[in-house]
Amino acid sequence: MKSAFRNAYFALSHSLNPSPYSSLLLFSLRSLPAVAIPSSPPRLQPETFRSLSASLCTATMAGGEAYVPPSSPSLEKQFDSFRVQLDESGSLRERIRAVVMEIESTTRFMHAGLLLVHQSRHTPEVLEKPKAQIGVLKELYNRLAEVLRDCPSQYYRYHGDWRSETQTVVSLLAFMHWLEAGSLLMHSEAEEKLGLNSSDFGLDVEDYLIGLCFMSNELPRYVVNQVTAGDYDCPRKVLKFLTELHAAFRMLNLRNDFLRKKFDGMKYDLRRVEEVYYDVKIRGLTASDGSSEDQRSKGEQQVA
């Protein structure tokens, strides 16, 4: 019985901890007389085994000393400079964002004032308050230019922080200019109104073009409200303006980006104005020659 237990014990030990000398050791033990084998051999605790393994690995590295990776002065210096650059960039963005928030607040006030033009109010009265905010915008853009003087040649790195607000500003200025003069606000005129300088801190061309696309979105609503108020010549004037603007955009080789999408939306604005003009025309609410001013001048000549 004891012999069978001894054979089973050594077979299990061999399967758990194989060794090239296990067969020799087993043969030597079989040749010894039977001895009493403890029923439960001692076992190491998992914590003790892990501690011994870690000690053994540490002792085999670097002649028994723990391995510590050497520090590189050049690496530390490089990442320390990165930290300084990121801190400065974050501080600069906070200053830019503070000015941009004021620009956004001013544009909301201007847009709220311009909405009254759709209620068929007198145009000079409606434009009085929005025009007073142009000086505020000019001062804010001057402050923004002063902030960017701390980082020369970094205009387009931070341009995205005020791009959307500038596009809204251009759309409002262009709409106000059209209400006053009936013509397009040029790029140079927009820069002059905002106090921008093309060589230092200028108005990006794409921002200007996108702002014009935003402005065209207001014209169909303006035409409908003006016709409702009895101005039947408004569709003709807006149609002429939008047709010329759309034809000018067709000269540009636009990529498949946000500007191209906004330009594609302009043709729907043009189509809506054409539909209003067609309805007014077939109902005989406008002169046959398409110009009430010309008709008025002819009548004055006949009276004379």
Side-chain angles (χ1 to χ4, degrees):
M1 184 66 179
K2 292 182 179 181
S3 177
F5 179 80
R6 183 175 64 253
N7 293 337
Y9 173 80
F10 286 112
L12 179 62
S13 300
H14 175 71
S15 61
L16 294 177
N17 189 16
S19 174
Y21 303 101
S22 58
S23 58
L24 180 60
L25 178 61
L26 182 61
F27 176 78
S28 301
L29 290 175
R30 285 179 178 176
S31 62
L32 296 176
V35 294
I37 299 176
S39 58
S40 58
R43 300 179 57 189
L44 294 176
Q45 296 297 327
E47 294 79 3
T48 307
F49 180 77
R50 285 194 295 268
S51 177
L52 293 175
S53 300
S55 301
L56 180 60
C57 292
T58 303
T60 55
M61 297 173 63
E65 296 180 357
Y67 175 75
V68 178
S71 59
S72 175
S74 60
L75 184 63
E76 294 180 358
K77 183 178 179 181
Q78 172 182 268
F79 276 84
D80 186 66
S81 64
F82 289 164
R83 178 185 59 81
V84 173
Q85 292 177 13
L86 292 177
D87 291 343
E88 293 178 352
S89 177
S91 177
L92 185 62
R93 287 186 184 277
E94 291 179 359
R95 295 170 58 191
I96 292 175
R97 187 55 188 168
V99 180
V100 170
M101 290 179 63
E102 296 186 34
I103 295 176
E104 183 181 3
S105 177
T106 305
T107 55
R108 286 199 303 266
F109 183 81
M110 294 176 63
H111 192 209
L114 282 176
L115 288 177
L116 299 177
V117 78
H118 297 295
Q119 300 180 4
S120 302
R121 294 192 180 183
H122 196 47
T123 301
E125 179 184 353
V126 173
L127 296 180
E128 183 178 356
K129 291 184 178 180
K131 286 177 63 176
Q133 300 300 315
I134 296 179
V136 179
L137 289 175
K138 186 174 183 179
E139 180 182 356
L140 291 174
Y141 274 95
N142 288 334
R143 287 172 51 188
L144 192 60
E146 291 178 0
V147 173
L148 289 178
R149 288 192 183 98
D150 297 338
C151 53
S153 304
Q154 297 291 326
Y155 176 88
Y156 285 102
R157 178 181 179 183
Y158 302 100
H159 173 236
D161 293 337
W162 66 83
R163 174 185 298 171
S164 177
E165 289 75 14
T166 301
Q167 295 167 0
T168 304
V169 168
V170 172
S171 67
L172 296 176
L173 295 179
F175 188 40
M176 293 167 57
H177 182 82
W178 184 85
L179 291 174
E180 284 187 316
S183 59
L184 179 66
L185 177 69
M186 297 300 177
H187 181 268
S188 59
E189 295 175 342
E191 284 189 327
E192 183 180 357
K193 287 180 179 294
L194 297 176
L196 302 180
N197 186 359
S198 299
S199 60
D200 185 18
F201 184 90
L203 176 61
D204 185 73
V205 175
E206 290 191 5
D207 292 343
Y208 168 75
L209 295 175
I210 293 174
L212 296 182
C213 295
F214 286 155
M215 182 267 295
S216 71
N217 300 150
E218 291 288 335
L219 293 178
R221 180 187 177 188
Y222 176 76
V223 167
V224 173
N225 292 325
Q226 290 298 111
V227 171
T228 304
D231 186 2
Y232 303 121
D233 192 47
C234 181
R236 180 193 62 83
K237 295 187 295 185
V238 175
L239 180 60
K240 180 177 181 297
F241 172 74
L242 270 184
T243 302
E244 293 177 353
L245 182 61
H246 186 268
F249 265 89
R250 297 286 295 180
M251 298 172 59
L252 305 177
N253 184 18
L254 301 179
R255 302 184 301 272
N256 189 18
D257 54 3
F258 183 72
L259 176 58
R260 178 57 184 267
K261 294 179 181 179
K262 296 307 299 180
F263 166 66
D264 291 340
M266 187 183 295
K267 63 182 179 183
Y268 298 105
D269 301 330
L270 181 60
R271 184 179 302 175
R272 291 175 59 188
V273 175
E274 287 176 344
E275 292 174 354
V276 176
Y277 178 71
Y278 173 77
D279 291 341
V280 172
K281 189 75 173 178
I282 63 174
R283 285 171 171 80
L285 300 177
T286 184
S288 299
D289 56 358
S291 175
S292 60
E293 295 180 357
D294 295 342
Q295 184 179 8
R296 187 183 301 110
S297 62
K298 289 180 181 178
E300 293 176 353
Q301 293 176 0
Q302 292 176 358
V303 172

